[in-house]
Amino acid sequence: MAEKPIISIEKVIKNYPVGGKEFRALKDITLSINKGEFAGIVGPSGSGKTTLLNIIGSLDVPTQGEAHVLDKNIAELSHNEAAKLRNYNIGFIFQVFNLLPVYTVFENVEFALLLQKNTVEQRRKAVYDALEWVGLQDHANKRPDKLSGGESQRVAIARAMVKRPKILLADEPTANLDSENAHGILKTMKMLNKELQTTFLFSTHDEKVMGYLDRTIHLRDGALEKDIIENKTTSV
Amino acid sequence: MKLALKLAFKNLWGAGTRTVLNVLVLSFSFVIIILLNSIMDGWDQQAQKDSIVWEFGEGHLLHKQYDPLDSFTILDGHGPIPKNQLGITPILVYQATIYPQGRMKGIVLKGIDSNQTILELPIEKVKTSEAKFPVIIGKRLAESAKLNKGDEVQIRWRDKNGTYDANTLTIVDVFDSNVPNIDNGQIWMDIKTLWKMTDLNQEASFFVADKNYKAEALPLWRFKSQEALLKQLKDLINQKKTGQAIIYLLLMAIALLAVFDTQILSIFRRQKEIGTYIALGMTRSRVVRLFTIEGSMYSILALIVGSIYGIPFFMYLAQVGFAVPPADQKMGIAIAEVIFPIYGIKLVLSTILLVVISATIVSYLPARKIAKLNPVLALKGKQQ
C-alpha cells in the first residue's frame, strides 16, 4: 500500500486583492508530495511559487480548494494550531536569512527549541548537532552581522533543522549567495534530506538548485505547468 | 514568560541608545514621583506632629459660642471652667490692641496656665520674669510688629464691662514654632494675668485636651477631636498633593509617550522579525506578549537605573532635608524651614506599580496590532 502523501494540495486557488481587483496568484493547483522528497517549485517571478509555499507552511490559506499538510487542513487551523504545526513540523529557510540580529548564532538556532518544552541540556545538544551539520560549531557565539551570506544561510538551515521538522520549506535559499556558497548549502541540505528523511520543498528559479532536485514542479502564471519526477515527466 | 523576558531583555539590549533614553526618562519620572510624594508625606507628618504638640493636643473643648475662625465670637465665646473635668488645659482668648513703635495693631491675647505641659509653648518663661505683664510672642508677630525679646509695648483692651484699660507688656521670649496659628497676631500670657486684666476669673474660651480627658456632655462646651482639628490641614496637604500629581503625571506622560513611540516604531520597523517569530512557530498572542513585556521592561530597567542614582539621593535628602523657601513659611500653614522626606513602603510600592502598569499598558496598546498582521507580508517587511 502506497504511503499517504505528507503534503496534499487539491484544486487550490489563491486570490489577492490588488488595486481594488482580485488577482489570482494560484490557479487550480493539485499536487502531492511524499515524505523524504527533495522537490522544488520552480518558475519565473510572479508564478506563485512563494504563495504556494506559504500555504503549505500554514502562513496563508487558500481562497478555494484544500491544502493538507501532515493530515491537517490548513484552512481549518486556528492561529495557535497553525503556530504549533510550524513549531514542531515545519522549518523555514528564507531568501534573506531572517536571522534575529540581537541574538548570537547559538541563540538564533536555539530559538525554535525555546518554543518547545526541552531541557537546557537537550537544547544545547540539539543546537550543537545542528551547527555541526552546517559546519558552524565554531561560530556559535557570533552575531549575525559578523557572518558572511553563506554562513548566515547555514545558520538559517541549522535553525530550521534543529527541531527535526518533517518538512523544510526553503524560499529562494540561494538567491543571495554566490555559486560556491550556493552549492555548499545545497549539498548540506541534500545530506540532511538523506540522513534525516526530512522532506525538502524549495521555491526557486535558480538553475543550480534545480540540479540538485529529485523533483521539479513547474508553475507559470499561477498554474501548474509540469511536474518532473527524476526522469518521469508529467505535463499538466 | 521566562522566554519572553529573556527575549525582551536581549531586544532592549540590542536597541542600544533608544533603550538608554527611554529608561533614563522613565527612571527620572520614577525618582521625581517618589521625591515629590516623600516631601509631601514628610510635610504632612511634620505639620500634623507640630500642630498636635503646639496647638491641638488631643483635641479642643470649645465654648459653644466661640469659633476660632470668627473673631466676632471672641467677645461672648467664653464661660466658666467646668468643675471636676480632668485632662483639660484652659485657654482664654481676648481681643486687644498693641502700639509697637507708635503704630496700632490689633492682636489676640491668649491666656494659658504657665504650668501647663500639654503644649510646647514656652509659657513657663513668664513665671521667672519680674515684669508686671510678662508675655511671649512667636517669631511671626515679632517680625510683623518689629518686637524683640525684652521689648516693652503698650497694650489697650476693654474689660468685661467694656471699660478701656491700658498697660505695658514685656516680651520675655520670642518662640519659634512651625505653626502659624499660635503665632500670627497672638500674644501669650499666664491665664491668671489675663483673668485679672479682663475680670473674667476662672473663665476660658476653649480647652486643650490631653490623654486623661474623657468626653462628657457639657451644656456650654463642644468637643472637637484631634482628627477633626487636623482635617483642615490634611485637606490642604491633599490639595497640594493633587497639584503636584499633575506635575509628575505630566512628566510620566512624556516618558510613557516615549515608550509608546518606541513600541510603534518597533512594530513598524521589525515586521520581518515579527514574521520570522510567527514562521518559527510563535503564536501571535505570544509575539504580542513579547512586545508588551519588552515595553514594560523599560519600566523595570528604569526602576533599576532610578534606584542606582535615586537611592543615594534620597538617603542624602533624608539626612539634610528639603529647605523650604521663607515665602512658603508665611503661607499660614504649618510648615518647617526644612522638611525631611518620608519614604514609606506604600509610597515606593505604589510608585513602582504605577510606573510598571502604565508602561505595560502603553506597550500593549500598539502591540495589539501584531495580532492582526499578515505574516506573509510581515516576512517581506511590507507596511501593514
Side-chain angles (χ1 to χ4, degrees), chain B residues 344-357:
Chain B
I345 295 280
K346 191 180 154 194
L347 167 66
V348 175
L349 285 181
S350 60
T351 309
I352 290 172
L353 279 178
L354 177 72
V355 175
V356 173
I357 291 172

PDB file of all heavy atoms in Angstrom, chain B residues 344-357:
ATOM      1  N   GLY B 344       7.898  55.903  52.521  1.00  0.00           N
ATOM      2  CA  GLY B 344       7.154  54.756  53.057  1.00  0.00           C
ATOM      3  C   GLY B 344       7.119  53.624  52.052  1.00  0.00           C
ATOM      4  O   GLY B 344       7.254  53.844  50.847  1.00  0.00           O
ATOM      5  N   ILE B 345       6.942  52.408  52.563  1.00  0.00           N
ATOM      6  CA  ILE B 345       6.815  51.218  51.694  1.00  0.00           C
ATOM      7  C   ILE B 345       5.647  51.420  50.735  1.00  0.00           C
ATOM      8  O   ILE B 345       5.731  51.105  49.550  1.00  0.00           O
ATOM      9  CB  ILE B 345       6.552  49.960  52.571  1.00  0.00           C
ATOM     10  CG1 ILE B 345       7.765  49.676  53.448  1.00  0.00           C
ATOM     11  CG2 ILE B 345       6.185  48.754  51.737  1.00  0.00           C
ATOM     12  CD1 ILE B 345       8.895  48.958  52.758  1.00  0.00           C
ATOM     13  N   LYS B 346       4.564  51.984  51.275  1.00  0.00           N
ATOM     14  CA  LYS B 346       3.352  52.167  50.466  1.00  0.00           C
ATOM     15  C   LYS B 346       3.657  53.091  49.281  1.00  0.00           C
ATOM     16  O   LYS B 346       3.255  52.818  48.146  1.00  0.00           O
ATOM     17  CB  LYS B 346       2.261  52.777  51.355  1.00  0.00           C
ATOM     18  CG  LYS B 346       0.897  52.768  50.733  1.00  0.00           C
ATOM     19  CD  LYS B 346      -0.105  53.385  51.689  1.00  0.00           C
ATOM     20  CE  LYS B 346      -1.273  53.955  50.935  1.00  0.00           C
ATOM     21  NZ  LYS B 346      -2.093  54.823  51.758  1.00  0.00           N
ATOM     22  N   LEU B 347       4.395  54.168  49.583  1.00  0.00           N
ATOM     23  CA  LEU B 347       4.733  55.129  48.528  1.00  0.00           C
ATOM     24  C   LEU B 347       5.589  54.463  47.455  1.00  0.00           C
ATOM     25  O   LEU B 347       5.307  54.582  46.250  1.00  0.00           O
ATOM     26  CB  LEU B 347       5.479  56.330  49.144  1.00  0.00           C
ATOM     27  CG  LEU B 347       6.166  57.277  48.156  1.00  0.00           C
ATOM     28  CD1 LEU B 347       5.135  57.992  47.297  1.00  0.00           C
ATOM     29  CD2 LEU B 347       7.033  58.289  48.877  1.00  0.00           C
ATOM     30  N   VAL B 348       6.621  53.742  47.892  1.00  0.00           N
ATOM     31  CA  VAL B 348       7.547  53.126  46.931  1.00  0.00           C
ATOM     32  C   VAL B 348       6.818  52.065  46.100  1.00  0.00           C
ATOM     33  O   VAL B 348       6.903  52.062  44.866  1.00  0.00           O
ATOM     34  CB  VAL B 348       8.773  52.522  47.664  1.00  0.00           C
ATOM     35  CG1 VAL B 348       9.670  51.774  46.706  1.00  0.00           C
ATOM     36  CG2 VAL B 348       9.569  53.630  48.357  1.00  0.00           C
ATOM     37  N   LEU B 349       6.044  51.212  46.792  1.00  0.00           N
ATOM     38  CA  LEU B 349       5.341  50.144  46.066  1.00  0.00           C
ATOM     39  C   LEU B 349       4.304  50.717  45.105  1.00  0.00           C
ATOM     40  O   LEU B 349       4.190  50.271  43.966  1.00  0.00           O
ATOM     41  CB  LEU B 349       4.663  49.179  47.051  1.00  0.00           C
ATOM     42  CG  LEU B 349       5.605  48.224  47.778  1.00  0.00           C
ATOM     43  CD1 LEU B 349       4.817  47.306  48.699  1.00  0.00           C
ATOM     44  CD2 LEU B 349       6.418  47.384  46.804  1.00  0.00           C
ATOM     45  N   SER B 350       3.562  51.716  45.571  1.00  0.00           N
ATOM     46  CA  SER B 350       2.523  52.282  44.696  1.00  0.00           C
ATOM     47  C   SER B 350       3.162  52.976  43.496  1.00  0.00           C
ATOM     48  O   SER B 350       2.632  52.918  42.386  1.00  0.00           O
ATOM     49  CB  SER B 350       1.605  53.238  45.463  1.00  0.00           C
ATOM     50  OG  SER B 350       2.360  54.294  45.990  1.00  0.00           O
ATOM     51  N   THR B 351       4.331  53.588  43.694  1.00  0.00           N
ATOM     52  CA  THR B 351       5.008  54.237  42.561  1.00  0.00           C
ATOM     53  C   THR B 351       5.506  53.188  41.572  1.00  0.00           C
ATOM     54  O   THR B 351       5.352  53.344  40.357  1.00  0.00           O
ATOM     55  CB  THR B 351       6.199  55.093  43.073  1.00  0.00           C
ATOM     56  OG1 THR B 351       5.729  55.937  44.106  1.00  0.00           O
ATOM     57  CG2 THR B 351       6.791  55.925  41.964  1.00  0.00           C
ATOM     58  N   ILE B 352       6.078  52.111  42.117  1.00  0.00           N
ATOM     59  CA  ILE B 352       6.562  51.031  41.237  1.00  0.00           C
ATOM     60  C   ILE B 352       5.395  50.486  40.414  1.00  0.00           C
ATOM     61  O   ILE B 352       5.474  50.349  39.191  1.00  0.00           O
ATOM     62  CB  ILE B 352       7.232  49.902  42.055  1.00  0.00           C
ATOM     63  CG1 ILE B 352       8.557  50.405  42.635  1.00  0.00           C
ATOM     64  CG2 ILE B 352       7.456  48.663  41.207  1.00  0.00           C
ATOM     65  CD1 ILE B 352       9.222  49.451  43.607  1.00  0.00           C
ATOM     66  N   LEU B 353       4.292  50.219  41.110  1.00  0.00           N
ATOM     67  CA  LEU B 353       3.116  49.675  40.413  1.00  0.00           C
ATOM     68  C   LEU B 353       2.613  50.655  39.361  1.00  0.00           C
ATOM     69  O   LEU B 353       2.305  50.267  38.234  1.00  0.00           O
ATOM     70  CB  LEU B 353       2.000  49.380  41.415  1.00  0.00           C
ATOM     71  CG  LEU B 353       2.134  48.064  42.182  1.00  0.00           C
ATOM     72  CD1 LEU B 353       1.003  47.913  43.181  1.00  0.00           C
ATOM     73  CD2 LEU B 353       2.124  46.885  41.216  1.00  0.00           C
ATOM     74  N   LEU B 354       2.555  51.931  39.725  1.00  0.00           N
ATOM     75  CA  LEU B 354       2.058  52.951  38.790  1.00  0.00           C
ATOM     76  C   LEU B 354       2.910  52.977  37.524  1.00  0.00           C
ATOM     77  O   LEU B 354       2.386  52.937  36.404  1.00  0.00           O
ATOM     78  CB  LEU B 354       2.072  54.328  39.473  1.00  0.00           C
ATOM     79  CG  LEU B 354       1.644  55.510  38.606  1.00  0.00           C
ATOM     80  CD1 LEU B 354       0.136  55.465  38.363  1.00  0.00           C
ATOM     81  CD2 LEU B 354       2.008  56.835  39.269  1.00  0.00           C
ATOM     82  N   VAL B 355       4.239  52.991  37.715  1.00  0.00           N
ATOM     83  CA  VAL B 355       5.144  53.093  36.565  1.00  0.00           C
ATOM     84  C   VAL B 355       5.085  51.806  35.727  1.00  0.00           C
ATOM     85  O   VAL B 355       4.953  51.862  34.502  1.00  0.00           O
ATOM     86  CB  VAL B 355       6.593  53.393  37.028  1.00  0.00           C
ATOM     87  CG1 VAL B 355       7.553  53.374  35.857  1.00  0.00           C
ATOM     88  CG2 VAL B 355       6.662  54.746  37.734  1.00  0.00           C
ATOM     89  N   VAL B 356       5.124  50.653  36.410  1.00  0.00           N
ATOM     90  CA  VAL B 356       5.160  49.383  35.665  1.00  0.00           C
ATOM     91  C   VAL B 356       3.829  49.148  34.925  1.00  0.00           C
ATOM     92  O   VAL B 356       3.825  48.806  33.736  1.00  0.00           O
ATOM     93  CB  VAL B 356       5.474  48.198  36.612  1.00  0.00           C
ATOM     94  CG1 VAL B 356       5.341  46.870  35.890  1.00  0.00           C
ATOM     95  CG2 VAL B 356       6.883  48.330  37.169  1.00  0.00           C
ATOM     96  N   ILE B 357       2.721  49.383  35.622  1.00  0.00           N
ATOM     97  CA  ILE B 357       1.414  49.143  34.984  1.00  0.00           C
ATOM     98  C   ILE B 357       1.214  50.122  33.817  1.00  0.00           C
ATOM     99  O   ILE B 357       0.788  49.722  32.731  1.00  0.00           O
ATOM    100  CB  ILE B 357       0.268  49.233  36.018  1.00  0.00           C
ATOM    101  CG1 ILE B 357       0.355  48.040  36.972  1.00  0.00           C
ATOM    102  CG2 ILE B 357      -1.097  49.270  35.340  1.00  0.00           C
ATOM    103  CD1 ILE B 357      -0.586  48.099  38.157  1.00  0.00           C
TER     104      ILE B 357
END
